[in-house]
């Protein structure tokens, strides 16, 4: 396109007829030619491709037809159903009257730009009353005393907020972060600092409680994931809100909506076509405006010239990008382009490198930290996304993107959750774009009747163990193993390898780790493809890598390599309830142990939503230094309960209960890692009350469940009282698998096994035996869950001490 034509198109576009909501893209640090200041190289998208992204972020297609919507590029506007409880009414009023003055850089255009200031105030007042009336709760105008401020400050500058938002503090750099400090100094000299999205407006916009609620579950309000879920706990959300709002004593006033203004506000909401982006029941969307193909670029909402429509100001470079997109004949994106657009739209490139673009900005480098500093950059900088589709097993990639799976617990920066509906397209795209030459790592069967294969299995098992141990490659010096701590650095647990990685990537990474992570501290054990240890498996590189792969495929049945040692600590309970999270044989990979002063404890399996074990006496023993905070084992004699999902929409009373896959020596790989999710289970969080007793929050299908157990003393013994609170959008049936084993019915409401008596509420109980074991039963309760909130209570009475 010639320079004259470009100038004409841009001049037309400045006065053009596009309307929508513009995401603030300051994280990309654009200059005239769209360089990306916070990454190591230029932005991956062309000018017109970036225009495509902007049109999705602007939601141009909500008002204009002419182009098909691309689901993952379309940025949804905030949900306004509870805005009256979330946002200070005074702020809301000022923001509606003049968005950019109230919140500089906002993506909200001025919908009343053509009106006088008096008229804008009148409309904003009416809209505020209308929007506040939609909320069932009122804005709580509490003050902030500063509690949790320092914790919030630390969170903001370490978990990843500063990848997109402007840092508020220069954190102190200790001696072990010297490299990061040098990077920061160099950045100050050579780089244009990343501006980031400013958050100064939150002080007047939110209350500490409403900001905390938003930070805890941002996807409820902003479903398109541009503000992702940082997996904050309730207490972390509160601390971060306290820090962002700061100490203040100003008393804010709530608003009592007045009927005349509510009706007037509804009328303005309809007239301004606010429902094009913000859906509210009963208000229809206006007919589409002129198609994007034929839009009149001589006037419109992106113009700085006063007009009848909305107005907001775009930087010239954004206008150029959108103009290029509209001018270019649209074609279906290649998979590579679709991946690049996705990583750009969700700002994944603020933390990750892919190919020759993206990565941590130099002036942000110092904020990326680790508890295992000897691991170097590999321990503090999020891993590259280059060849990600060839690196991770498809199921594991989905667990990372959608279930928050974590293996780098030493890394302070967290992997955000963007919402499955926003990134569900990405795993298949990456699988198609990222390919490596096939490598066949053959796994012998330990149960084979073939003597040659039996001998090979024994040889590989012994060789793999020796290679991993301290007399071989000494992998355990920097990696935990099966929940047990490395004696030196606590890197990724090697036992996750077989589930996470694809064989070809694993093979090529071991031979040349620096090609995948240039500054990795991992040594080269097969330089140039030649084995450094000639005395193990005859120095055969292919056989050595095959042996390690096979050994790790054995899962928990693999013996500990030499050099790994168990460090166990006994934890006790004092005068308050104690909660501990970690891997456990009695509660799975996401086990949570809860101990009470009454000398009774239980374990909850957060992976499946089950009360998995009960015991009396001492609390737990912990393997300190393992992956995360370390695994745990009960100190007392365990009353084991089933760890399969507890709640299910069962087809009928004859349908078998789906059982969780169990890894064994013969079957060391989880055959169905999405088992709980596929059955409708989703763990959300847990929170503590004043006595530090946890309540677990999860879902079974559309039913929200809050699960709280507490100890009671009756005479000289302690029992467990469990309360289940349900919140359902409709009347529905839910089956609860309350007990398994050799069960006897004592009465209509009391059932017992050899070591436990269970008292159930009034319900339809079904006691049925297992087809392959007529002496073993399962107790199923048919729960008729009513719409709204309901509660059931159960009592667990141990029969043995």
């Amino acid at each position: 396109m010639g320079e004259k034509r470009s100038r004409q198109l841009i001049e037309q576009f400045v006065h053009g007829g596009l309307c929508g909501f513009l995401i603030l893209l300051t994280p990309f640090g654009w200059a005239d030619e769209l360089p990306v200041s916070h990454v190591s190289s230029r932005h991956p998208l062309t000018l017109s491709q970036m225009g495509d992204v902007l049109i999705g972020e602007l939601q141009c297609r909500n008002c204009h037809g002419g182009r098909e919507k691309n689901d993952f590029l379309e940025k949804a506007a905030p949900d306004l159903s509870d805005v009256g409880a979330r946002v200070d009414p005074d702020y809301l009023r000022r923001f509606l009257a003049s968005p950019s003055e109230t919140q500089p850089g906002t993506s909200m255009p001025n919908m009343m730009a053509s009106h006088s200031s008096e008229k804008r105030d009148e409309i904003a007042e009416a809209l505020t009353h209308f929007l506040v009336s939609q909320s069932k709760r009122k804005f709580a105008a509490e003050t902030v005393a500063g509690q949790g401020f320092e914790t919030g400050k630390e969170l903001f500058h370490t978990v990843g907020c500063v990848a997109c938002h402007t840092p508020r503090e220069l954190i102190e750099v200790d001696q072990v972060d010297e490299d990061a400090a040098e990077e920061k100094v160099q950045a100050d000299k050579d780089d244009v600092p990343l501006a980031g999205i400013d958050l100064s407006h939150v002080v007047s916009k939110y209350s500490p409680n409403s900001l905390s609620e938003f930070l805890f579950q941002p996807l409820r309000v902003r479903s398109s994931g541009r503000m992702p879920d940082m997996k904050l706990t309730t207490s972390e959300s509160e601390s971060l809100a306290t820090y962002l709002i700061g100490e203040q004593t100003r008393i804010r006033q709530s608003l009592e909506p007045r009927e005349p203004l509510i009706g007037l506000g509804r009328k303005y909401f309809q007239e301004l076509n606010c429902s094009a982006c913000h859906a509210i029941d009963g208000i229809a969307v206006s007919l589409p405006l002129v198609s994007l193909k034929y839009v009149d670029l001589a006037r419109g909402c992106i113009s700085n010239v006063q007009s009848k429509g909305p107005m907001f100001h775009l930087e010239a470079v954004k206008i150029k990008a959108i103009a290029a997109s509209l001018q270019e004949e649209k074609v279906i994106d290649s998979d590579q382009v679709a991946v690049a657009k996705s990583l750009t739209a969700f700002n994944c490139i603020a933390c990750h490198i892919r190919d020759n673009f993206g990565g941590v900005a130099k002036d942000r480098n110092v904020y990326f930290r680790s508890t295992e500093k000897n691991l170097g950059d590999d321990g503090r900088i999020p891993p590259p996304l280059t060849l990600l589709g060839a690196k991770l097993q498809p199921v594991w990639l989905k667990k990372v993107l959608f279930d928050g799976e974590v293996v780098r617990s030493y890394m302070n920066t967290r992997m955000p959750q963007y919402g499955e509906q926003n990134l569900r397209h990405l795993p298949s795209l990456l699988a198609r774009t990222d390919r490596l030459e096939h490598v066949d790592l053959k796994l012998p069967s330990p149960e084979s009747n073939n003597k040659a294969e039996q001998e090979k299995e024994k040889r590989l098992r012994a060789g793999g163990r020796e290679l991993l141990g301290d007399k071989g490659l000494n992998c355990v010096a920097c990696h935990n193993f099966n929940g047990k701590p490395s004696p030196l650095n606590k890197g990724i647990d090697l036992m996750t390898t077989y589930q996470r990685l694809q064989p070809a990537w694993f093979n090529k990474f071991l031979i040349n780790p620096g090609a995948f992570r240039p500054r990795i501290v991992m040594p080269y054990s097969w330089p140039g493809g030649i084995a450094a240890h000639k005395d193990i498996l005859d120095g055969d590189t292919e056989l050595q890598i095959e042996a390690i792969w096979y050994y790790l495929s054995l899962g928990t049945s693999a013996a500990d390599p030499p050099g790994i040692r168990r460090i166990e600590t006994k934890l006790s309970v004092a005068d308050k309830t104690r909660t501990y999270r970690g891997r456990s044989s009695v509660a799975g990979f996401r086990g949570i142990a809860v101990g009470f002063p009454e000398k009774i404890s239980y374990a909850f399996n957060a992976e499946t939503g089950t009360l998995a074990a009960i015991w009396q006496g001492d609390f737990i023993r912990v393997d300190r230094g393992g992956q995360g905070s370390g695994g745990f084992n009960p100190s007392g004699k365990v009353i084991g309960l089933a760890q399969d999902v507890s709640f299910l929409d069962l087809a009928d009373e004859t349908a078998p209960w789906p059982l969780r896959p169990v890894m064994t020596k013969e079957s060391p790989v989880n055959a169905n890692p999405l088992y709980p999710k596929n059955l409708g289970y989703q763990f959300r969080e847990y929170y503590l009350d004043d006595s530090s007793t946890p309540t677990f929050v999860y879902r079974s299908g559309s039913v929200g469940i809050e699960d709280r157990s507490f100890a009671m003393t009756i005479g000289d013994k302690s029992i467990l009282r469990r309360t289940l609170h349900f919140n359902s959008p409709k009347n529905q049936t839910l089956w609860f698998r309350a007990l398994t084993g050799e069960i006897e019915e004592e009465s209509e409401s009391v059932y017992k096994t050899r070591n436990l008596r269970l008292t159930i509420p009034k319900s339809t109980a079904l006691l049925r035996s297992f087809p392959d074991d007529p002496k073993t039963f399962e107790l199923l309760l048919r729960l008729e869950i009513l719409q709204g909130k309901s509660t059931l209570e159960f009592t667990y009475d141990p029969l043995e001490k």
Side-chain angles (χ1 to χ4, degrees):
M1 182 171 65
E3 181 179 347
K4 182 177 180 181
R5 173 59 183 150
S6 299
R7 189 180 303 110
Q8 289 173 342
L9 185 59
I10 293 169
E11 287 173 354
Q12 288 177 338
F13 201 86
V14 169
H15 303 284
L18 292 176
C19 174
F21 290 81
L22 173 66
I23 186 173
L24 177 65
L25 288 177
T26 49
F28 300 133
W30 289 353
D32 286 345
E33 296 303 324
L34 294 178
V36 187
S37 64
H38 77 304
V39 297
S40 59
S41 63
R42 296 180 64 84
H43 201 283
L45 302 183
T46 66
L47 193 65
S48 65
Q49 288 167 355
M50 184 54 68
D52 296 342
V53 173
L54 276 171
I55 288 172
E57 300 286 350
L58 282 161
Q59 300 178 85
C60 302
R61 284 166 284 233
N62 287 2
C63 291
H64 299 271
R67 280 197 180 186
E68 288 188 14
K69 288 190 175 183
N70 187 323
D71 288 341
F72 79 84
L73 287 182
E74 299 298 323
K75 173 176 173 275
D79 183 352
L80 299 181
S81 60
D82 204 29
V83 69
R86 187 172 67 251
V87 177
D88 187 322
D90 178 63
Y91 177 91
L92 184 59
R93 186 185 298 109
R94 291 184 290 109
F95 180 76
L96 291 170
S98 182
S100 60
E101 289 184 11
T102 307
Q103 183 180 329
T106 181
S107 60
M108 171 78 176
N110 189 336
M111 304 298 292
M112 302 169 278
S114 62
H115 296 289
S116 66
S117 60
E118 292 79 8
K119 186 63 175 178
R120 288 201 300 268
D121 290 341
E122 175 193 321
I123 297 174
E125 180 73 20
L127 283 172
T128 300
H129 279 254
F130 169 64
L131 292 174
V132 170
S133 74
Q134 303 301 302
S135 302
K136 296 179 180 179
R137 302 178 299 155
K138 293 183 179 180
F139 182 78
E142 77 275 20
T143 59
V144 179
Q147 186 174 1
F149 183 92
E150 290 300 323
T151 300
K153 172 183 172 182
E154 177 73 11
L155 285 166
F156 184 78
H157 293 95
T158 56
V159 300
C161 304
V162 296
C164 293
H165 296 288
T166 308
R168 295 182 162 208
E169 319 276 350
L170 280 176
I171 64 173
E172 295 184 7
V173 180
D174 52 32
Q175 189 62 38
V176 292
D177 280 330
E178 188 174 334
D179 289 344
E182 289 179 0
E183 295 252 16
K184 175 67 172 64
V185 171
Q186 192 64 31
D188 290 341
K189 292 179 179 178
D190 300 337
D191 290 321
V192 177
L194 172 66
I197 301 173
D198 183 68
L199 295 177
S200 58
H201 64 281
V202 302
V203 175
S204 57
K205 180 177 181 179
Y206 298 101
S207 71
N209 278 347
S210 69
L211 180 57
S212 174
E213 287 182 8
F214 171 70
L215 293 172
F216 182 63
Q217 291 181 313
L219 298 178
R220 281 188 175 182
V221 177
R222 305 191 180 205
S223 60
S224 56
R226 271 47 169 196
M227 169 59 195
D229 187 336
M230 297 303 294
K231 298 184 288 189
L232 301 170
T233 65
T234 50
S235 60
E236 287 177 336
S237 300
E238 290 166 1
S239 296
L240 186 52
T242 297
Y243 170 69
L244 291 174
I245 289 179
E247 186 172 356
Q248 57 180 259
T249 58
R250 180 172 65 90
I251 303 299
R252 308 198 218 184
Q253 300 297 321
S254 58
L255 176 69
E256 291 292 342
R258 301 198 298 274
E259 282 299 331
L261 287 176
I262 293 174
L264 188 59
R266 174 181 285 272
K267 180 176 78 73
Y268 285 134
F269 196 91
Q270 176 79 66
E271 290 178 355
L272 294 170
N273 198 25
C274 302
S275 53
C277 294
H278 301 277
I280 288 185
D281 291 342
I283 299 183
V285 179
S286 300
L287 293 174
L289 301 176
V290 63
S291 167
L292 287 172
K293 294 180 180 179
Y294 311 111
V295 67
D296 181 3
L297 300 179
R299 58 186 184 277
C301 58
I302 63 171
S303 172
N304 293 327
V305 178
Q306 191 70 49
S307 65
K308 292 183 179 180
M311 174 184 284
F312 56 160
H313 301 284
L314 295 180
E315 297 92 326
V317 66
K318 295 184 176 75
I319 296 174
K320 287 171 66 176
I322 297 172
S325 173
L326 289 177
Q327 184 199 37
E328 188 175 84
E329 187 69 27
K330 286 295 100 181
V331 296
I332 297 175
D333 286 337
S334 68
D335 290 338
Q336 289 85 353
V337 170
V339 168
K341 286 182 177 179
S342 297
L343 300 184
T344 301
F346 291 94
N347 206 19
C348 307
I349 56 175
C351 294
H352 298 276
I353 288 175
R354 180 171 169 88
D355 299 327
N356 62 345
F357 63 87
V360 175
K362 286 187 176 181
D363 67 323
R364 297 293 201 270
N365 189 289
V366 69
Y367 298 99
F368 287 75
R369 314 186 85 182
S370 170
T371 59
E372 292 294 324
K373 301 189 174 63
N374 289 337
L375 296 178
D377 280 356
D378 199 44
R380 66 184 187 88
I381 302 296
L385 302 183
T386 304
L387 289 174
L388 181 63
K391 173 184 178 181
L392 295 184
Q393 295 283 0
V395 169
W396 193 272
L397 178 56
K398 291 178 182 178
K399 288 171 75 69
V400 172
L401 291 177
F402 309 142
D403 297 333
E405 192 67 60
V406 173
V407 294
R408 295 175 175 84
S409 57
Y410 46 80
M411 190 175 291
N412 290 351
T413 304
R414 301 178 184 179
M415 171 63 192
Q417 297 294 287
Y418 295 91
E420 183 174 356
Q421 73 277 11
N422 298 312
L423 292 183
R424 64 164 57 102
H425 66 287
L426 195 53
S428 58
L429 277 178
L430 290 168
R432 294 196 297 268
T433 58
D434 299 346
R435 298 295 182 90
L436 284 172
E437 182 182 352
H438 177 72
V439 174
D440 187 14
L441 297 179
K442 301 172 184 177
L443 300 182
S445 171
E447 308 302 324
S448 173
N449 293 322
N450 183 288
K451 288 188 177 181
E453 188 169 7
Q454 288 176 356
E455 289 300 318
K456 182 178 180 181
E457 191 278 331
K458 291 179 182 178
R459 191 180 182 211
L460 291 185
R461 182 188 291 258
R465 182 170 183 265
E466 186 177 4
L467 284 163
L468 294 176
D470 57 3
K471 300 297 189 294
L473 302 177
N474 202 17
C475 305
V476 294
C478 291
H479 290 279
N480 299 332
F481 187 85
N482 199 14
K484 300 179 182 67
S486 162
L488 184 59
N489 303 312
K490 310 299 185 291
I492 293 177
D493 194 317
L494 291 171
M495 197 49 70
T496 69
T497 302
Y498 187 73
Q499 289 188 50
R500 288 190 305 115
L501 303 180
Q502 295 193 44
W505 192 94
F506 174 79
N507 176 275
K508 296 181 183 303
F509 175 76
L510 288 190
I511 291 176
N512 189 7
F516 295 85
R517 301 203 72 167
R519 297 180 66 177
I520 194 171
V521 297
M522 181 169 168
Y524 286 70
S525 300
W526 295 272
I530 307 300
H533 281 261
K534 308 294 186 184
D535 55 339
I536 302 176
L537 297 175
D538 302 325
D540 186 324
T541 294
E542 182 178 337
L543 199 60
Q544 287 184 354
I545 294 176
E546 206 168 78
I548 294 174
W549 183 251
Y550 172 65
Y551 192 72
L552 295 176
S553 77
L554 298 174
T556 55
S557 67
D560 294 344
I564 284 288
R565 65 181 185 274
R566 179 183 296 270
I567 303 174
E568 198 167 76
T569 302
K570 187 175 181 179
L571 298 186
S572 58
V573 179
D575 57 348
K576 294 185 73 174
T577 307
R578 186 163 190 176
T579 300
Y580 184 88
R581 296 178 296 171
R583 185 174 182 170
S584 173
S585 59
V586 301
F589 189 74
R590 299 177 69 185
I592 304 175
V594 182
F596 299 95
E598 291 83 356
K599 291 293 183 180
I600 188 170
S601 306
Y602 74 93
F604 184 82
N605 187 330
E607 188 74 20
T608 56
T610 59
L611 196 159
I614 301 172
W615 64 96
Q616 299 181 92
D618 294 335
F619 186 35
I620 57 173
R621 303 184 307 276
V622 175
D623 294 333
R624 287 295 192 190
Q627 190 76 1
S629 53
F632 70 84
N633 289 296
S635 290
K637 187 175 181 180
V638 173
I639 301 170
L641 303 171
Q643 295 187 49
D644 314 294
V645 291
S646 291
F647 294 93
L648 197 64
D649 180 13
L650 206 61
D652 57 63
E653 63 182 32
T654 64
W657 198 269
L659 305 181
R660 71 186 179 100
V662 178
M663 290 181 287
T664 63
K665 178 180 177 181
E666 292 73 24
S667 301
V669 180
N670 188 344
N672 185 13
L674 297 181
Y675 156 78
K677 183 175 182 179
N678 291 337
L679 296 176
Y681 169 80
Q682 183 182 15
F683 184 75
R684 305 303 295 269
E685 59 151 335
Y686 73 88
Y687 61 87
L688 305 179
D689 62 14
D690 292 340
S691 67
S692 296
T693 301
T695 295
F696 301 105
V697 182
Y698 51 94
R699 302 187 69 81
S700 178
S702 63
V703 181
I705 302 173
E706 294 199 3
D707 188 343
R708 180 181 185 270
S709 298
F710 61 94
M712 297 177 60
T713 301
I714 300 178
D716 61 348
K717 68 180 305 184
S718 296
I719 64 172
L720 203 64
R721 176 67 59 84
R722 184 183 188 186
T723 304
L724 296 170
H725 297 283
F726 302 93
N727 191 353
S728 175
K730 61 182 180 179
N731 295 340
Q732 57 184 304
T733 299
L734 201 61
W735 288 87
F736 173 46
R737 193 165 182 247
L739 201 60
T740 61
E742 297 182 8
I743 304 172
E744 297 179 17
E745 182 179 358
E746 288 192 345
S747 69
E748 186 180 2
S749 61
V750 179
Y751 295 80
K752 74 171 185 177
T753 62
R754 179 179 56 82
N755 49 19
L756 183 68
R757 178 180 286 111
L758 174 65
T759 303
I760 65 173
K762 184 178 180 180
S763 59
T764 301
L766 173 63
L767 189 61
R768 64 183 191 181
S769 61
F770 286 87
D772 56 348
D773 187 358
K775 293 184 179 180
T776 304
F777 295 84
E778 55 185 359
L779 176 63
L780 305 184
L781 306 184
R782 181 188 172 104
L783 307 179
E784 300 300 336
I785 306 296
L786 301 178
Q787 181 180 8
K789 297 182 178 181
S790 56
T791 301
L792 294 175
E793 288 193 344
F794 301 80
T795 300
Y796 297 81
D797 179 7
L799 300 180
E800 294 182 357
K801 283 198 172 183

